[in-house]
């Protein structure tokens, strides 16, 4: 099975779903909502293996609650991604991991994420893809033990340059 050519710059947008759950001192705090954003990156094709990097920004208006009480909101998440995957021709199956930052009404926090994705070349210039990511954020707003985990799923459209 010959591989396709995935080398080059790309940019696009995504629509997704973000689910956040508090840990430690934030246990019992949770929320979920739609997210939407922009991404841009570069892939390099080594034959059957592809590596790349990407920057991604998502907006959301996710309300955090503890029981019935509102305790804050998540406004945005941005990510710096490293990607590596296998080239199946017009389909790329990849793993991704990297740095993430969440901005909440309580403050922001650094964290990391990891996940899986699949991309399909509709044409040589347009790609549709889907990703599932797991995030872990520690010390939100500089507060020890105010941690949160998040899961996200997104559908993405990208234009290749």
């Amino acid at each position: 099975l010959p591989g396709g050519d995935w080398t080059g710059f790309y940019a696009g947008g995504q629509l997704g779903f973000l689910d956040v759950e508090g840990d430690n001192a934030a246990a019992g705090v949770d929320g979920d909502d739609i997210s939407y954003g922009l991404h841009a990156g570069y892939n390099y094709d080594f034959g059957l293996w592809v590596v790349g990097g990407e920057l991604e920004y998502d907006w959301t208006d996710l309300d955090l609650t503890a029981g019935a009480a509102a305790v804050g909101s998540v406004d945005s998440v941005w990510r710096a991604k490293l990607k590596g995957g296998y080239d199946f021709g017009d389909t790329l199956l990849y793993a991704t991991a990297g740095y993430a930052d969440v901005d909440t009404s309580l403050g922001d926090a650094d964290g990391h994420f990891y996940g899986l994705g699949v991309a399909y070349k509709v044409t040589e210039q347009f790609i549709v893809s889907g990703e599932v990511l797991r995030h872990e954020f520690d010390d939100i707003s500089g507060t020890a033990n105010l941690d949160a985990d998040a899961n996200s799923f997104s559908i993405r459209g990208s234009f290749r340059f």
Side-chain angles (χ1 to χ4, degrees):
L1 178 67
D5 182 13
W6 290 87
T7 297
F9 287 99
Y10 62 90
Q14 65 270 359
L15 179 63
F17 185 78
L18 181 65
D19 180 24
V20 178
E21 293 183 5
D23 290 340
N24 302 335
V29 174
D30 64 1
D32 54 59
D33 207 342
I34 292 172
S35 62
Y36 54 94
L38 300 171
H39 62 267
Y42 183 83
N43 287 327
Y44 189 82
D45 195 325
F46 288 96
L48 294 179
W49 297 99
V50 177
V51 296
E54 180 180 298
L55 294 176
E56 179 179 67
Y57 189 88
D58 280 329
W59 291 273
T60 188
D61 189 20
L62 187 154
D63 291 326
L64 296 171
T65 59
V71 295
S73 64
V74 174
D75 302 317
S76 63
V77 178
W78 77 267
R79 301 169 193 89
K81 297 180 175 181
L82 294 176
K83 297 167 47 173
Y86 190 79
D87 181 350
F88 289 97
D90 287 340
T91 302
L92 176 66
L93 181 62
Y94 62 91
T96 184
Y99 170 84
D101 182 82
V102 64
D103 182 28
T104 76
S105 60
L106 306 172
D108 66 342
D110 296 331
H112 63 276
F113 71 91
Y114 52 91
L116 296 172
V118 61
Y120 177 74
K121 280 195 264 180
V122 177
T123 68
E124 285 299 313
Q125 289 77 37
F126 185 70
I127 300 168
V128 291
S129 57
E131 283 186 351
V132 176
L133 304 176
R134 172 72 173 179
H135 305 75
E136 297 174 2
F137 298 105
D138 297 327
D139 303 334
I140 296 173
S141 185
T143 305
N145 295 325
L146 187 55
D147 302 339
D149 295 334
N151 296 310
S152 66
F153 171 76
S154 64
I155 300 295
R156 302 154 41 99
S158 306
F159 293 95
R160 294 181 65 204
F161 302 102

